[in-house]
Amino acid sequence: DAGVIQSPRHEVTEMGQEVTLRCKPISGHNSLFWYRQTMMRGLELLIYFNNNVPIDDSGMPEDRFSAKMPNASFSTLKIQPSEPRDSAVYFCASSIVGGGDKAFFGQGTRLTVV
Amino acid sequence: EDKVVQSPLSLVVHEGDTVTLNCSYEVTNFRSLLWYKQEKKAPTFLFMLTSSGIEKKSGRLSSILDKKELSSILNITATQTGDSAIYLCAVVKAAGNKLTFGGGTRVLVKP
């Protein structure tokens, strides 16, 4: 099993540009989470999906952030326009609804907005 | 608002020492508490606890949940330099399946 796959691993972009982060969950998992990690705020949940449906997006910072899950094997997190304060490591994780609460994390995308 | 608080924030020990990490929580309708280890990259799963008083063990690591005290501890005995990491605690509520994380404890094990 390849685990949760995220791309790109690193992204450096200029303020104002659009950024798209991608995630492929573990095959058979039907719950997908987007987290953001910074030194100041730790690991924060941005949004999560069950069976491709957004369940809780209360952690999404503002309208500049959006997330989609068009099918069971792919999700995107988009930031438009990006700002320097969005610099962080973004993790995607997946789990099985009703199959225990253990979530598996991808390797993360380190985003730097200059 | 749900809260998960970990202590200490960080600690430095020497190889062979024993380490005890704490996680306390304030959530409604608690279901489970999970421990993760994060080295340079992704958090990796260590334990999941749902019942009070039952110790989970894996090698030199062990963990126990106290639902009365709304807390959990993670113990690492005979520490090694490879135990240096951030240890994260997360809580899951009965309704839904999202993990709410604490701020983590950074452990540095010196040779």
Side-chain angles (χ1 to χ4, degrees):
Chain A
D1 192 339
V4 176
I5 299 172
Q6 291 186 245
S7 64
R9 294 292 305 278
H10 300 274
E11 175 85 37
V12 181
T13 190
E14 289 186 348
M15 185 171 67
Q17 295 299 304
E18 176 180 296
V19 173
T20 300
L21 311 182
R22 296 172 177 80
C23 175
K24 178 178 164 53
I26 292 172
S27 177
H29 282 197
N30 56 358
S31 188
L32 184 140
F33 307 85
W34 281 102
Y35 284 90
R36 176 171 71 175
Q37 188 174 40
T38 60
M39 289 288 289
M40 291 297 293
R41 299 174 69 92
L43 204 56
E44 309 172 89
L45 179 68
L46 300 176
I47 185 171
Y48 81 101
F49 298 83
N50 282 348
N51 297 306
N52 312 340
V53 175
I55 303 298
D56 183 348
D57 65 355
S58 59
M60 294 286 260
E62 49 202 90
D63 290 347
R64 297 185 298 107
F65 284 68
S66 62
K68 291 183 180 177
M69 191 161 188
N71 57 61
S73 58
F74 184 66
S75 176
T76 59
L77 178 68
K78 191 176 289 188
I79 309 172
Q80 163 66 11
S82 57
E83 296 181 4
R85 61 189 166 128
D86 301 330
S87 298
V89 180
Y90 290 81
F91 286 104
C92 176
S94 70
S95 68
I96 300 173
V97 178
D101 295 325
K102 184 165 66 174
F104 295 83
F105 282 76
Q107 292 300 299
T109 295
R110 182 175 292 279
L111 174 65
T112 304
V113 183
V114 298
Chain B
E1 189 187 324
D2 300 333
K3 266 189 194 174
V4 181
V5 178
Q6 293 186 242
S7 63
L9 219 58
S10 65
L11 70 163
V12 180
V13 299
H14 289 278
E15 274 192 316
D17 289 349
T18 293
V19 159
T20 299
L21 310 180
N22 297 282
C23 175
S24 62
Y25 59 90
E26 288 178 30
V27 302
T28 50
N29 300 317
F30 169 90
R31 181 164 75 205
S32 65
L33 185 145
L34 296 89
W35 285 97
Y36 283 80
K37 177 182 182 183
Q38 185 177 24
E39 295 174 85
K40 289 181 182 172
K41 297 175 183 174
T44 54
F45 172 80
L46 293 174
F47 299 111
M48 185 171 81
L49 304 151
T50 56
S51 303
S52 267
I54 298 175
E55 186 183 52
K56 293 271 181 107
K57 210 166 160 56
S58 175
R60 297 175 293 101
L61 276 67
S62 63
S63 184
I64 197 160
L65 177 66
D66 187 335
K67 281 180 168 179
K68 260 191 189 170
E69 296 296 325
L70 306 183
S71 65
S72 173
I73 60 170
L74 175 69
N75 279 320
I76 310 173
T77 58
T79 51
Q80 302 171 357
T81 55
D83 296 325
S84 297
I86 297 172
Y87 290 85
L88 295 160
C89 162
V91 168
V92 181
K93 296 166 67 161
N97 56 314
K98 74 176 184 182
L99 285 75
T100 301
F101 281 87
T105 294
R106 185 180 293 270
V107 175
L108 176 62
V109 181
K110 290 188 169 180

